Amino acid sequence: VFRTSLAVEKRLGDGWTLTTEVIFTKNIWEIEYLNVNLLPPVGKSLGVGSRNVYNPNGSGPTKIPLRSSGANPYPGNVYLLQNNQGRRGYSYSLTLSIDKAFRNGFALNANYTYGNSISLNEGTSSQNNSQWRYMESVNGRNFLDLSTSDFDIAHRINAFISKQFDYSRKNISTIVSLVYIGQSGNPYSYVYRNSPVNDQSSSESNDLIYVPTTAELGSMTFVPNTVNGVIYTPQQQKDLLEAFIQGDKYLSKNRGKFSERNGARLPFTHIIDLKIEQKFNVKFNGKRYSFALSYDIFNFTNMLNKDWGRTYFLANDNFPLITFNNYTSTGNLTPTYKYTPFSGKPYGVNTSLNPGYTARWISQLGLRFSF
């Protein structure tokens, strides 16, 4: 990568300091995966959201006939790992920080960061197959475009304030600290359940949906859908899908377009941590020793109210909103769909117990001895 940064610090007087920093990174080389064991797409789907179709009969893409008999000796995929020859990814971030040093035991720091990261393929999986297979796309994983990275941070706010109280000629001190972290939610994608592109198998769920306008939704072909014994007619499914699109911040702003990889986001999160530290300074044999007993409460506001301090999670960072049912026939590439209504949101509250991700409060007791 090529990376450059510029920082400016201004001391405003009376202990106040303002800092601005800009960082820009450009990929010089980046990886690209191609599955070279596939015949080209057989055509384009009909109707709104037209896209590549590798095999319309749902049995998976056709392998290249390498032998005279038409057979292919490789039952799986064959990947070419190469340097991306097209437009390459980049990232940038802007941070504004303000800091105040007080003489009466107070300390204050706050900063705001906006960052944007664009990539072709993060290459974070443990298998080459996964690097290619799980990328969300419109026309198939051999036709990727630059998109928002899985690690795009968007908006982030950090604030810290503390107060130290001294007693007994500063031999005993109590420090109370609060830390606030506000963070944009992780990016995610709206995809189809089942694959209209069918470049891996018909059961894959990594094809980005087309977000229809109201008129376009009326022209799409839906088939009856039975859910828990309840039959939803095509029109009922369209009405329910229309209501969901209108109520979704991302989808409602992108009607008439393909949804973008990582275009939507989980909710903004607000986390406050509390720390109380009691320090004791002791002189013994002419030496000074310090003992500190601390109590940390991570996600403090969640301890006060179970509905506060929530973090959110969505498996695989994508949500299969619409089910691709099938094509009308192998000669008629008009797609048919189903929509399964659901209550709530595509994501849920994070149930992890990992301190860095959990939506629950966690506390710890600490003891430190300095000499």
Side-chain angles (χ1 to χ4, degrees):
V1 299
F2 165 79
R3 178 171 294 151
T4 185
S5 64
L6 174 66
V8 178
E9 180 179 284
K10 174 64 176 178
R11 297 187 178 182
L12 305 174
D14 197 26
W16 290 94
T17 303
L18 180 66
T19 305
T20 303
E21 183 175 23
V22 179
I23 302 175
F24 176 77
T25 303
K26 175 67 175 177
N27 290 349
I28 298 175
W29 299 111
E30 63 184 2
I31 62 171
E32 180 180 29
Y33 279 90
L34 295 176
N35 185 353
V36 295
N37 199 24
L38 301 178
L39 286 176
V42 298
K44 293 274 190 178
S45 63
L46 302 177
V48 299
S50 177
R51 65 183 72 214
N52 287 340
V53 178
Y54 278 84
N55 190 349
N57 65 17
S59 61
T62 304
K63 308 293 185 182
I64 297 174
L66 295 177
R67 293 179 174 164
S68 58
S69 63
N72 184 302
Y74 305 104
N77 298 323
V78 179
Y79 296 109
L80 170 65
L81 172 59
Q82 64 180 8
N83 291 316
N84 174 22
Q85 301 301 313
R87 293 174 56 237
R88 300 181 181 96
Y90 60 90
S91 68
Y92 63 87
S93 66
L94 170 65
T95 299
L96 301 174
S97 301
I98 189 165
D99 185 84
K100 168 65 174 176
F102 296 87
R103 295 182 179 178
N104 57 357
F106 269 108
L108 170 67
N109 176 272
N111 62 74
Y112 165 77
T113 297
Y114 177 77
N116 183 221
S117 300
I118 303 296
S119 67
L120 183 74
N121 189 320
E122 275 92 357
T124 55
S125 182
S126 60
Q127 298 181 8
N128 289 320
N129 180 57
S130 301
Q131 312 279 33
W132 180 83
R133 178 182 179 185
Y134 294 115
M135 292 294 293
E136 296 88 357
S137 65
V138 172
N139 284 303
R141 273 61 67 91
N142 278 357
F143 299 92
L144 294 183
D145 296 315
L146 292 180
S147 61
T148 299
S149 168
D150 290 336
F151 305 101
D152 185 74
I153 66 170
H155 303 278
R156 183 178 178 87
I157 303 170
N158 288 278
F160 167 83
I161 186 171
S162 72
K163 169 64 176 176
Q164 177 170 319
F165 303 90
D166 296 319
Y167 322 96
S168 185
R169 298 180 181 179
K170 296 187 178 182
N171 289 318
I172 302 176
S173 301
T174 302
I175 303 173
V176 180
S177 305
L178 286 172
V179 176
Y180 166 77
I181 300 175
Q183 174 67 60
S184 294
N186 290 340
Y188 69 94
S189 311
Y190 279 108
V191 296
Y192 291 108
R193 188 181 303 280
N194 303 334
S195 173
V197 174
N198 200 11
D199 60 342
Q200 169 68 19
S201 76
S202 59
S203 61
E204 293 288 310
S205 295
N206 291 297
D207 294 350
L208 295 166
I209 68 168
Y210 179 80
V211 188
T213 64
T214 301
E216 289 172 333
L217 181 58
S219 69
M220 295 169 65
T221 302
F222 281 72
V223 297
N225 188 15
T226 302
V227 182
N228 297 326
V230 179
I231 300 176
Y232 292 89
T233 67
Q235 189 57 50
Q236 287 175 323
Q237 295 174 60
K238 292 180 181 181
D239 293 341
L240 291 167
L241 178 56
E242 173 69 20
F244 182 86
I245 292 174
Q246 288 186 8
D248 184 270
K249 181 179 179 180
Y250 172 75
L251 296 177
S252 62
K253 292 181 178 179
N254 289 275
R255 307 196 74 166
K257 305 175 184 177
F258 287 104
S259 64
E260 302 159 296
R261 178 177 179 268
N262 289 333
R265 283 196 175 271
L266 300 181
F268 200 92
T269 58
H270 305 272
I271 303 295
I272 295 178
D273 299 331
L274 170 67
K275 181 174 183 176
I276 301 174
E277 184 176 20
Q278 186 68 50
K279 298 174 67 176
F280 303 90
N281 297 314
V282 180
K283 285 186 177 181
F284 183 74
N285 286 339
K287 294 184 179 181
R288 189 178 184 89
Y289 300 91
S290 176
F291 297 86
L293 181 67
S294 62
Y295 183 58
D296 291 271
I297 304 176
F298 304 103
N299 205 347
F300 172 62
T301 50
N302 183 252
M303 185 182 75
L304 302 179
N305 186 317
K306 66 181 179 62
D307 294 326
W308 295 349
R310 289 189 164 186
T311 59
Y312 300 89
F313 176 77
L314 177 61
N316 301 318
D317 293 325
N318 66 37
F319 182 73
L321 179 65
I322 304 169
T323 298
F324 167 72
N325 183 63
N326 212 334
Y327 287 107
T328 302
S329 69
T330 56
N332 182 355
L333 297 184
T334 300
T336 62
Y337 305 99
K338 291 181 181 179
Y339 175 71
T340 300
F342 64 97
S343 59
K345 299 292 185 180
Y347 46 83
V349 176
N350 200 333
T351 58
S352 169
L353 295 180
N354 186 316
Y357 301 97
T358 184
R360 306 177 184 181
W361 67 273
I362 295 176
S363 66
Q364 72 176 18
L365 189 65
L367 178 63
R368 184 176 62 193
F369 174 55
S370 303
F371 57 91

